[in-house]
Amino acid sequence: MQTTSRQFRQLAGQALTDETLRAALHDVERVMPVIRQGAFDQLEDPETMFDRASAIRDRTLAELDVYLEAFEQRVEQFGGHVHWAADATEACGIVADICESAGASKVTKSKSMVTEEIELNAFLQSRDMTVVETDLGEYIIQLRGDRPSHILAPSLHVTLSQVAETFHRHHELERDAPLREPAEILREARAVLREKFMSADVGITGANFLVAETGGVVIVTNEGNADLTASLPDTHVVVTSIEKVVPTLEDAGLLLRLLARSAIGQRLSNYTTLIHGPRRAEDSSGPSNFHVVLLDNGRSDMLGTQFQEMLRCIRCSACINHCPVYTAVGGHAYGSVYSGPMGAVLTPGLAGLDAAAHLPNASTFCGRCEEVCPVRIPLPKMLRFWREREYERHMTPRAARYGLRWWARLNASTGIYRCLLGIAARLLCALSSGGWVARLPGPGMAWTRHRDLSAPAAPSFQQQWRRTRSRPSTRR
């Protein structure tokens, strides 16, 4: 799993100057929390649903091997094949071998973050296969040679005019007029992709859930591209990760209700498909060959550790949509397939802390991510765990380490702390105008380069508290 997370600060700085990106992120910050809240307001007791979902995920992770083996047995009973991949290289090799056995030269692929994680497209293309993404957002990204900026809206950062220009450059079509309207762009994408669907030798999809009880693969989309990818080619390959398994179909039903509401503010996504193996004798259509590739890639190492709760994640993106850091700098700044709070916890676990040490520090610890998580993942707690490991391994910059030591010493002396806090408060008040500090000197300049700082209240909370405590009690 390749990342550019070491360049987070540089990439974040570039993102802050990209006005197109900032406008798109402002829409995410403004719209997504509202529609999510509206969807959950329709439920009688969403908190109980969150508790049940969290318990389902914990029960699964506690006996992950049992449920995965049960899933494998059911898939094989239906005539399918399950393959186990320890890492990205092994997973890519398995998929490539399946494609080559099928004589494939053309592959269609529906949206899948796991295949992005293992960089499957590049691997198959190195084996002389043509791979076409069929989700509209992923298709746009693929044509542009870009990377997703959001796990649900990968082309969030691309404008309509840029999409039109991309289609003009890559589609060999005669047009009466340049593409301008969204409906025109959508019609052209459908026409081009229809031919890709019909001519594909192998279809590759991800999976939202794997049902141990039935051997079913649950795929959720809003475009229906996954259904065409899975059903038209003669070979269907599912590439997903081991933590996607759930015990029963009833468990999957509860998680699906939470997934759609958390992700897009709907009761259910437009297409929710359950697939059980290859075509049967009585079926009129469908693939003859069905394969499921189960990827570990570092997830087993998280089991039984303080990061196990991260494996509850159902990839709804609610934490991303509510994160003040993500909505300021976007997904590319994280340098990973997984961005936002969930990416800041997951990426160090998959790629290693050396490759992603900056990400756990990309948080204000405001707690909104944990508050909106439908499976109650304590993301701030795990971000602190990563920071502790970073500090223990002396990966924290020297200035930060010395700063933390001096801060600890100051906090150990109440008198010195109060004195310095008073001096700092008076200084900030002197620098403020209209209740805000627009520019701080020295190290504080980095904070006020892109935001204003609220001036301290006068009197301070501690001063008000001492005055309150010194007054005679009026209670009887």
Side-chain angles (χ1 to χ4, degrees), residues 61-280:
L61 294 172
E63 298 184 272
L64 187 59
D65 55 339
V66 174
Y67 291 117
L68 287 171
E69 289 174 2
F71 172 78
E72 179 184 30
Q73 291 173 5
R74 294 295 287 167
V75 170
E76 291 177 347
Q77 288 174 7
F78 285 121
H81 306 277
V82 174
H83 310 263
W84 302 83
D87 54 29
T89 301
E90 191 171 338
C92 287
I94 291 170
V95 176
D97 289 345
I98 293 170
C99 292
E100 289 173 351
S101 297
S105 61
K106 298 179 180 179
V107 176
T108 51
K109 187 168 152 293
S110 74
K111 177 177 171 55
S112 164
M113 297 310 295
V114 171
T115 59
E116 293 281 355
E117 175 186 328
I118 65 176
E119 300 182 327
L120 180 61
N121 285 10
F123 190 92
L124 295 180
Q125 289 164 353
S126 72
R127 298 282 189 98
D128 297 324
M129 298 179 206
T130 300
V131 184
V132 179
E133 295 284 353
T134 59
D135 174 88
L136 180 58
E138 292 282 353
Y139 178 63
I140 292 167
I141 293 300
Q142 183 183 35
L143 292 183
R144 293 175 61 84
D146 206 345
R147 298 182 69 178
S149 60
H150 190 284
I151 64 173
L152 292 187
S155 58
L156 172 75
H157 59 289
V158 184
T159 65
L160 189 66
S161 62
Q162 289 173 328
V163 174
E165 186 275 331
T166 299
F167 282 11
H168 278 290
R169 185 155 31 94
H170 290 275
H171 293 166
E172 297 178 357
L173 298 173
E174 293 185 5
R175 303 180 185 83
D176 296 330
L179 295 172
R180 289 190 177 89
E181 298 299 322
E184 296 174 337
I185 292 174
L186 185 58
R187 278 195 298 269
E188 179 164 307
R190 282 176 173 169
V192 171
L193 287 173
R194 186 175 294 116
E195 185 277 327
K196 307 297 184 184
F197 283 124
M198 298 301 295
S199 63
D201 304 303
V202 172
I204 299 174
T205 70
N208 293 88
F209 302 107
L210 309 171
V211 184
E213 176 186 42
T214 65
V217 173
V218 184
I219 302 176
V220 178
T221 67
N222 274 313
E223 299 175 16
N225 58 299
D227 290 8
L228 294 172
T229 299
S231 60
L232 292 179
D234 196 50
T235 299
H236 176 203
V237 183
V238 178
V239 183
T240 191
S241 50
I242 57 175
E243 82 278 13
K244 296 294 183 68
V245 70
V246 295
T248 68
L249 193 58
E250 182 180 357
D251 295 333
L254 173 64
L255 294 171
L256 284 169
R257 294 175 66 193
L258 295 177
L259 174 62
R261 284 176 165 83
S262 297
I264 52 177
Q266 295 180 359
R267 294 176 62 186
L268 280 176
S269 298
N270 290 338
Y271 298 89
T272 301
T273 306
L274 278 79
I275 299 173
H276 295 85
R279 181 177 69 233
R280 297 164 182 78

Side-chain angles (χ1 to χ4, degrees), residues 306-307 353-354 357 361 382-397 400-401 404-405:
Q306 54 203 164
F307 302 106
L353 189 58
D354 290 338
N361 295 285
M382 286 185 284
L383 289 170
R384 284 193 291 270
F385 287 153
W386 279 126
R387 291 190 187 186
E388 289 172 5
R389 289 197 178 186
E390 179 190 16
Y391 189 85
E392 290 167 358
R393 293 175 55 182
H394 297 276
M395 299 172 67
T396 310
R401 294 180 66 83
L404 288 171
R405 289 174 185 172

